[in-house]
Structure formats: C-alpha cells, structure tokens
Amino acid sequence: MQEPTTKQQEELQGRYPLSRHQIEAYRRDGHICLPQLASPQEVSFYRKAIREAVEKMNTEKRAMKDRDTYGKAFLQIFNLWCTSETLKRFVLSKRFGAVAAQLMGVERVRVYHDQALFKEAGGGHTPWHQDQFYWPLDTTHTITLWMPLVDLSKNMGIMQFASGSHQQGYILSKEISDASETFFDQYVKDHAMPVSGRDTMNAGDATFHAGWTLHNAPANNTNTMREVMTIIYYADKTTILQPDNAFREADLKAWLGGRKPGEMAESEMNPLV
C-alpha cells in the first residue's frame, strides 16, 4: 500500500477554521454539515486505503434479500485505524479531532472507534436511532464525523437529522431496527422536530452529529456504492458507565481496552487526538 507523501500528511493535519455561527448552530441543532473538511486530493488518496481495508475485512456474503433491516442498511467495518499507518493518519487526524473538540466545547477528544459504512447499490434505509444508546460513556460530549468518500446524489442515502433531538437525551432503549424506526418516526412528528439533511454532498464534506441526535438515512436507490467513513469522538476524562443493555456491554468489551465501569475511558484503543 502506497504511503502518503509528507505534503499529504501535513495537509490532513492542517487547521479547519470554524465560525462562531457554525459552533452555535451545532449546539442548537445537534448536527452540522461542514464543506470540504478534507480536500478532493486528500479524499482521493485515503479512499484507496479505506476501500482496500473494507474489501479485505468485509464478511457479509448474504444476498440482500436474505438480510434483516440492519443488514440491508450498510456494510459496517470497524477500527480501520488499527490496520495500517495510512489509515491511522486519517482517523487520528488532528484537523478532524480539533473540529470535534471545538463543536462540543471541550479541550481534548479521544477516538471511541471508527467505522466504514458502505451502503451498497440497492441497499436499504437506515432506521431512526440514537448512537449513544450503544455507548457506555458517562458524558453528553460525544460526536460522530460522517464523511463521504465519493460525491453523493440525492438518492444514495444521505443522512437526515431531527434538529434539537439531542436535547432530549436518552429517549428509548432500542437498537437500530424496524421498531426504532416506527417509534422515533412518530416521536419526531409528535414533537414537531424539523428534519434536515443535504440533497447532495461532495467527497470530503462532513457532517457532525451529537451522540443523542436522532438520525436516519434513506435507501441507496442508485447503482453506485455509497462510500462513507465515520469517526466517533468523546471528551477526554470521560468515565465509563455501568452498561444497562447488552449492546453497551458488548461495546465495553470491544472498544474500551479492558477498562471497567467507573474507570476513565482512556485505553490504548482510545487514542487522544
């Protein structure tokens, strides 16, 4: 695998300036879209390494018709940063981490984990859900970067957000499923929450959303793979919660390096960026 040039490494670490208006909008709405967080040249370079890792690590071999709703939503590959120095540079980018910290208003952030979310051509919708249902982290300072690696058209499954929903906190103890879609769809309507999202996104644009922000994504009704890379961050000095569901128990074992409830979430699996 080709390594980045010095110039490419330096560019990915460069600063992305945020305005006060952008920071205020994120904290009000629980989400924001930032244009060209990564340049076309950077995305083109790192996309090759991400695609290679996804192709190597993907274990989903079932036909679309044989999968449940979650299985149809996307191919999900975790912790690519551990697979190569190239992907480590991408995921641990100081530029990305600094934006996450500024939006949340914290001094430093750690990586919880990364994941490639590739929605196949003809892939199904991603139901309404809250990410932090899965995370045993005792903080509201959590945030996810969601970056397309290819230009996205309207019918490829771009994320949608229920603005202001993060202010409700933990709404329902339910994983991503048909049941979460039904409940949260009615919840959003009952609470008159504006649903917003972009019609198109360019490769290198990025959305950020809070851990409690309700979000979903339509199906990919095109013949093109929706290639997206995500990185989850949380505030440094966060402690670990006692898991209250099986998914948080699994996450505790998978992503927090053997740490236990009550301890700091600062294992070698959660690098400071």
Side-chain angles (χ1 to χ4, degrees):
M1 183 182 295
Q2 183 183 2
E3 292 294 317
T5 65
T6 300
K7 184 173 185 295
Q8 286 166 325
Q9 292 178 47
E10 290 174 351
E11 285 177 343
L12 202 55
Q13 304 304 315
R15 183 172 178 268
Y16 184 95
L18 290 174
S19 68
R20 185 178 67 177
H21 173 75
Q22 288 172 316
I23 294 171
E24 291 174 348
Y26 168 80
R27 295 178 187 176
R28 179 190 67 238
D29 297 334
H31 63 90
I32 194 169
C33 184
L34 301 177
Q36 292 300 282
L37 181 62
S39 71
Q41 294 78 16
E42 290 165 343
V43 174
S44 177
F45 178 85
Y46 286 99
R47 178 192 176 210
K48 296 175 185 176
I50 293 168
R51 282 170 53 92
E52 181 178 309
V54 169
E55 291 170 1
K56 181 179 180 180
M57 298 169 69
N58 176 42
T59 60
E60 180 58 82
K61 305 301 180 185
R62 296 173 296 172
M64 193 69 69
K65 64 181 179 62
D66 296 326
R67 306 181 204 173
D68 61 11
T69 299
Y70 190 93
K72 292 176 181 177
F74 39 61
L75 302 177
Q76 186 175 30
I77 311 298
F78 297 100
N79 268 13
L80 277 68
W81 77 269
C82 296
T83 65
S84 75
E85 286 300 313
T86 299
L87 291 174
K88 185 175 182 179
R89 292 187 188 104
F90 182 88
V91 174
L92 305 190
S93 160
K94 293 185 182 301
R95 181 195 307 165
F96 301 165
V99 169
Q102 289 178 75
L103 290 173
M104 291 192 291
V106 301
E107 184 176 352
R108 299 187 298 181
V109 295
R110 291 181 179 271
V111 169
Y112 185 52
H113 66 74
D114 68 63
Q115 53 187 344
L117 296 177
F118 280 30
K119 191 182 287 287
E120 297 156 282
H125 72 287
T126 306
W128 284 111
H129 64 283
Q130 293 179 296
D131 290 341
Q132 201 158 334
F133 160 80
Y134 291 92
W135 307 337
L137 298 172
D138 192 11
T139 181
T140 57
H141 292 310
T142 60
I143 193 169
T144 298
L145 174 159
W146 191 93
M147 179 183 288
L149 307 175
V150 295
D151 293 345
L152 301 184
S153 63
K154 185 175 182 179
N155 296 317
M156 289 179 72
I158 298 176
M159 290 255 277
Q160 299 181 130
F161 306 94
S163 295
S165 56
H166 64 304
Q167 298 172 12
Q168 304 299 313
Y170 198 156
I171 298 171
L172 176 71
S173 182
K174 194 67 181 175
E175 72 274 15
I176 301 174
S177 61
D178 292 332
S180 74
E181 173 73 7
T182 299
F183 177 88
F184 284 127
D185 188 59
Q186 190 61 49
Y187 186 91
V188 169
K189 293 174 183 175
D190 289 346
H191 290 76
M193 292 179 174
V195 176
S196 61
R198 303 293 292 270
D199 285 339
T200 62
M201 290 181 70
N202 294 322
D205 294 347
T207 63
F208 284 81
H209 66 272
W212 290 124
T213 300
L214 279 168
H215 58 286
N216 68 4
N220 181 2
N221 294 315
T222 73
N223 294 319
T224 303
M225 180 82 80
R226 188 207 72 181
E227 301 176 22
V228 167
M229 188 65 183
T230 72
I231 308 170
I232 302 165
Y233 305 92
Y234 61 89
D236 187 30
K237 304 304 181 184
T238 291
T239 55
I240 300 172
L241 283 173
Q242 179 66 48
D244 59 354
N245 62 52
F247 298 95
R248 283 182 165 180
E249 289 177 2
D251 262 32
L252 174 58
K253 293 176 182 178
W255 312 126
L256 291 167
R259 296 297 192 273
K260 298 178 181 179
E263 295 181 345
M264 289 289 182
E266 53 182 28
S267 79
E268 67 282 354
M269 294 295 294
N270 313 112
L272 192 68
V273 294

